[in-house]
Amino acid sequence: VLAVLGKLASRLPSVTSLGTRAGFQAFFGADIAMDKSDAGLAKAFKKIDLDGSGTLSTSELRTYILEVKQAS
């Protein structure tokens, strides 16, 4: 888990410097094959946004990271 969180932290500056859409694509599309179109990203976001709030909480990100880590 620490390795995954370290990887996440190393990518955070990208999100800030690239902007929301490009940062989301860079982080969530880097290690898995996914549809990086706007529609594909919206679908991926909705899958991670478990409470439907329109934002990603720490808990939702943790859940996603652990799922990805377990799948690899």
Side-chain angles (χ1 to χ4, degrees), residues 1-2 5-6 16 19-20 22 32 34 37 40 43 45 48-49 52-55 58-59 61 63 70:
V1 173
L2 291 177
L5 292 176
T16 303
T20 304
I32 56 173
M34 73 180 303
S37 69
K43 183 177 176 181
F45 187 91
I48 300 165
D49 182 21
S53 67
T55 61
T58 304
S59 176
L61 285 173
T63 298
Q70 289 176 348

Side-chain angles (χ1 to χ4, degrees), residues 34-56:
M34 73 180 303
D35 177 1
K36 294 183 183 178
S37 69
D38 287 348
L41 291 173
K43 183 177 176 181
F45 187 91
K46 286 179 185 177
K47 180 180 176 185
I48 300 165
D49 182 21
L50 300 174
D51 65 4
S53 67
T55 61
L56 298 178

Side-chain angles (χ1 to χ4, degrees), residues 10-38:
S10 71
R11 292 183 183 188
L12 288 177
S14 308
V15 174
T16 303
S17 62
L18 293 173
T20 304
R21 184 185 324 174
F24 186 81
Q25 288 176 337
F27 179 75
F28 289 100
D31 297 326
I32 56 173
M34 73 180 303
D35 177 1
K36 294 183 183 178
S37 69
D38 287 348

